[in-house]
Amino acid sequence: MVEVTVTPQSSLADRPVQIRVQGLSPSQLVTLRAWLKDEQGQCFQSRAFFRADEAGEVDPGLHAALGGSYSGVWPMGLLWFLQPDTLFRRLVKRDVAGSPFRVRLEVLDGLSLGTDPREQPLASCEAERWYVGPGVQRVPIREGRVRGALFLPP
């Protein structure tokens, strides 16, 4: 049974996570796809092609991506190379304290460009990427023409 995991499943956006796929056949070609919808409902995604090792595992921190949104060894590449489906969109988090970005990770058999909406993933999981840690207080700042926010630790 194929399984994809993100450790830790919930983390701050500037913290590294480990992505691992297990249960593949040795040397199996797979596509790892990451996607999320921003606060306006726009989709951002990245994908990378991998060949499983002799144990049937893929770890982007150890194994080089063969192509896709990036190539080479990038442990966080699937999260760093998210691109919009609609041109000229930027991934911006406005509600930094209220909710995380929920990133969906999927493992697809073979080299998938994602053109077939009926394509079923072999495995999937979800990771939360928070921009403010627990207990951090956000204080709006308005002084003359200056606008900003002060984030106070707990």
Side-chain angles (χ1 to χ4, degrees), residues 51-95:
R51 183 176 300 279
D53 64 14
E54 59 279 350
E57 297 182 358
V58 170
D59 181 342
L62 300 174
H63 304 114
L66 306 173
S69 301
Y70 67 95
S71 59
V73 178
W74 291 81
M76 299 287 293
L78 287 167
L79 301 175
W80 288 343
F81 291 98
L82 289 165
Q83 294 294 314
D85 284 354
T86 306
L87 292 177
F88 308 114
R89 301 289 300 190
R90 287 188 3 199
L91 184 58
V92 175
K93 183 72 171 140
R94 301 231 185 265
D95 180 19

Side-chain angles (χ1 to χ4, degrees), residues 137-153:
Q137 181 183 4
R138 182 180 189 272
V139 180
I141 304 294
R142 293 180 61 104
E143 186 67 37
R145 294 185 349 212
V146 175
R147 303 289 181 266
L150 173 64
F151 292 89
L152 296 172

